[in-house]
Amino acid sequence: MVFCVLASSLGFFCNGWVIGSANLPGKVTHACELTTHPHSKTFPDCLPMNDALWGFAVSSFCIGGLMASLSGGYLQNKYGRKPLITYNSLGYIFGGLLIACATNTSMFIVGRIMCGYACGLGSLVIPIYICEISTVCSRGMMGAFPQGSITIGLLIATLIALPLSTVPLWRLNYALVVVPAVFQLIVMQFCVESPRYLVSNHRMEAARVSLEKLRAHACVEVEFYEMIEGQLGTETALFVTRGKKIVSNSTLVVEESKDDDLTLAQPSPPLKTTESLHGTMNLIEIFCDPFIRRIAFLVISVHMLQQLLGINAVMYYSTTIFEMIFPTGEMSKYMSIITVALNFISTVISVLVIDRMGRRTLLLISICGATSFLVLLVIGYVYQIDALLVTSVLAYVCCFAVGTGPIPWILTAELTPVKASGSVGSIATCLNWSMNFLVGQCFPILFSKIQGYSFIVFCLFGFLYAVIVYFLLPETKGRTLEDITTELKQ
């Protein structure tokens, strides 16, 4: 299980690398001094862009993420979690190489969009895969691994960018994402498919084998029974686990196929509710079902407000923020590295405490802390208190990373039934990336107009976020995914 979690989390490591790779080398990438003697006859020293175009180029990977989130639900339901995670690495490989070899702005932007597509697809399917294969007692910790991988990718990309922020080494900085992507492409071949996904596709024997591999030498009969019962009903679970054929007018007919997988046949005529037990729900169906619609609203709200709390405004433009405080020297760059390092440390803390404190409690602490430090950040700007500005930025990042960063991705799989997780996750991820792009585009303009006052907007969203979590979000720690769905129905 741990091996599969780590292997799949490499996609989030690449995600973090893509986010961080454009931070420090930004100026040398688009604003270097063109000379009559370029370093290479094939590749220009830089790709000249004004600030507005550069802002679009940097955040254009969100367009790819948005495209991936719209198609990701369908793709993971059709092809499965494992194959999608495996071949998603190709987006980072081809995108990274295209950016590194870019001779014009268009190539750079297309490469960023390709990497963004891989980021978006991974951010949808990887958290669902990890939650579906994890044990109840470790699901929170395992679910926080992807966010930890992002922060590691951010940190390493930022550190490596220091010596590579020169002409022509900035190209190598963007190309290095190929290394972890190729590694993931290889190691994912040794992982197993999600047993819950296999059950939802009525491949019972394959699901049992997958679950046995994930749980090593432990007995899986109880977990396997609950997994089937939660998705396909009690009588089907009894048949599959006991090997008895069930045929009645009020339940499903289950037959054994030649390939040793158990396949669900058509329901008997009197049964009219089996459609809810079978297959997957599309984007329209999730809003037609009152129960799923309520879950979708909650998951979507949590994801949108995660971005509207302003973390990417800080991470994308951390160097700019610190240049306001440290106008001379290289200190602003090192402060950006410290910010990323604190982000990583806080995520590690989240991994250690999330299964003890619970998702809801930790998320509330995180939101309230981040919002409070945003208020202090505005106060520090108004009264020009440099120490308060620095402390507020660093503390804000810590508070966000300890809960608001990882938990929304965990909740997508925990709150949503397997049959609807693809579609609900797709629309939630789509809106998450949309807000990501919106913040990336609007924050530089807002910051140039009103400077530190721009963070007041994020404070208001933080207050709304806390209200929604406090009144609407249930606690999910220590319970199976099927138990959580049953309680939400009641």
Side-chain angles (χ1 to χ4, degrees):
M1 179 187 73
V2 175
F3 175 81
C4 292
V5 170
L6 292 175
S8 59
S9 294
L10 283 170
F12 271 75
F13 176 88
C14 296
N15 189 333
W17 191 287
V18 171
I19 294 173
S21 61
N23 196 350
L24 295 184
K27 287 186 176 180
V28 74
T29 302
H30 78 284
C32 70
E33 296 181 3
L34 296 176
T35 63
T36 56
H37 302 287
H39 287 76
S40 171
K41 295 180 179 180
T42 305
F43 304 111
D45 287 349
C46 69
L47 306 173
M49 292 179 250
N50 58 37
D51 289 342
L53 182 58
W54 172 246
F56 173 78
V58 170
S59 57
S60 63
F61 87 105
C62 297
I63 298 175
L66 179 61
M67 295 165 56
S69 60
L70 289 172
S71 59
Y74 169 79
L75 292 174
Q76 70 168 325
N77 289 333
K78 181 175 177 61
Y79 299 107
R81 306 343 183 192
K82 177 191 169 184
L84 206 60
I85 295 172
T86 302
Y87 296 108
N88 187 49
S89 305
L90 296 175
Y92 293 113
I93 295 171
F94 293 122
L97 291 176
L98 186 61
I99 294 173
C101 299
T103 57
N104 54 60
T105 303
S106 298
M107 289 179 65
F108 184 92
I109 292 175
V110 171
R112 289 285 292 182
I113 291 175
M114 291 177 67
C115 288
Y117 189 90
C119 289
L121 205 56
S123 63
L124 170 60
V125 67
I126 292 173
I128 292 176
Y129 174 76
I130 289 176
C131 280
E132 288 181 352
I133 68 173
S134 300
T135 60
V136 173
C137 61
S138 66
R139 193 174 62 237
M141 178 183 292
M142 296 296 106
F145 263 61
Q147 189 66 25
S149 299
I150 282 186
T151 59
I152 295 174
L154 269 168
L155 180 60
I156 296 178
T158 305
L159 290 173
I160 289 180
L162 278 174
L164 296 183
S165 297
T166 59
V167 177
L169 293 180
W170 64 264
R171 295 182 179 274
L172 178 61
N173 176 70
Y174 293 106
L176 284 175
V177 72
V178 173
V179 177
V182 170
F183 185 64
Q184 183 182 39
L185 188 63
I186 296 171
V187 298
M188 279 301 298
Q189 306 298 328
F190 303 99
C191 296
V192 300
E193 181 56 277
S194 161
R196 284 184 168 84
Y197 168 78
L198 294 172
V199 167
S200 71
N201 281 269
H202 316 145
R203 298 169 57 190
M204 305 302 179
E205 189 60 30
R208 184 194 293 272
V209 172
S210 177
L211 187 60
E212 288 173 346
K213 289 181 179 179
L214 288 168
R215 303 296 179 258
H217 303 292
C219 178
V220 299
E221 292 304 317
V222 174
E223 184 178 3
F224 188 53
Y225 172 85
E226 292 177 345
M227 195 178 293
I228 300 171
E229 182 186 37
Q231 294 188 54
L232 305 175
T234 302
E235 294 190 41
T236 302
L238 287 171
F239 162 68
V240 173
T241 54
R242 296 179 183 177
K244 296 179 180 180
K245 187 165 184 172
I246 299 174
V247 181
S248 72
N249 289 332
S250 61
T251 186
L252 301 176
V253 180
V254 188
E255 298 175 349
E256 188 170 359
S257 65
K258 294 180 181 180
D259 61 357
D260 293 331
D261 274 4
L262 291 172
T263 308
L264 295 179
Q266 294 296 323
S268 53
L271 186 59
K272 297 183 180 179
T273 60
T274 53
E275 197 170 322
S276 64
L277 297 174
H278 293 274
T280 56
M281 302 178 73
N282 58 39
L283 291 174
I284 297 176
E285 290 171 338
I286 63 174
F287 290 106
C288 294
D289 185 309
F291 168 61
I292 301 298
R293 183 171 63 240
R294 181 161 54 89
I295 292 176
F297 168 76
L298 182 57
V299 173
I300 289 169
S301 299
V302 168
H303 271 272
M304 289 180 64
L305 289 167
Q306 180 201 49
Q307 293 299 328
L308 292 174
L309 197 55
I311 183 62
N312 283 326
V314 177
M315 301 310 297
Y316 286 156
Y317 301 99
S318 57
T319 303
T320 304
I321 293 172
F322 287 120
E323 280 177 351
M324 182 179 68
I325 304 172
F326 305 104
T328 58
E330 296 291 309
M331 189 60 185
S332 60
K333 291 184 178 181
Y334 293 110
M335 289 303 300
S336 295
I337 294 175
I338 292 173
T339 303
V340 175
L342 288 174
N343 191 9
F344 167 69
I345 294 171
S346 300
T347 305
V348 172
I349 294 173
S350 175
V351 170
L352 298 176
V353 304
I354 190 170
D355 280 313
R356 297 179 183 180
M357 295 184 63
R359 288 43 150 176
R360 182 174 179 273
T361 302
L362 191 58
L363 186 56
L364 276 172
I365 293 173
S366 173
I367 295 169
C368 293
T371 305
S372 299
F373 284 109
L374 282 174
V375 173
L376 292 177
L377 180 63
V378 176
I379 294 173
Y381 171 77
V382 172
Y383 294 100
Q384 293 296 300
I385 308 174
D386 290 347
L388 183 58
L389 281 170
V390 174
T391 302
S392 298
V393 169
L394 298 180
Y396 163 80
V397 170
C398 291
C399 289
F400 183 95
V402 82
T404 314
I407 291 176
W409 303 104
I410 299 173
L411 292 176
T412 302
E414 288 190 329
L415 295 176
T416 314
V418 175
K419 65 179 181 180
S421 62
S423 295
V424 173
S426 179
I427 189 67
T429 306
C430 172
L431 291 172
N432 187 296
W433 280 93
S434 298
M435 297 303 103
N436 189 333
F437 182 75
L438 181 67
V439 171
Q441 287 296 294
C442 296
F443 178 75
I445 300 172
L446 193 63
F447 191 79
S448 65
K449 299 294 183 183
I450 59 176
Q451 296 294 310
Y453 290 106
S454 57
F455 291 100
I456 294 176
V457 178
F458 301 130
C459 295
L460 298 176
F461 283 119
F463 175 76
L464 176 61
Y465 202 175
V467 170
I468 290 176
V469 170
Y470 183 81
F471 288 104
L472 299 180
L473 184 67
E475 183 54 72
T476 59
K477 76 165 184 175
R479 289 182 287 175
T480 66
L481 301 182
E482 292 73 27
D483 286 343
I484 294 170
T485 300
T486 301
E487 181 175 328
L488 287 172
K489 286 181 178 179
Q490 295 171 350

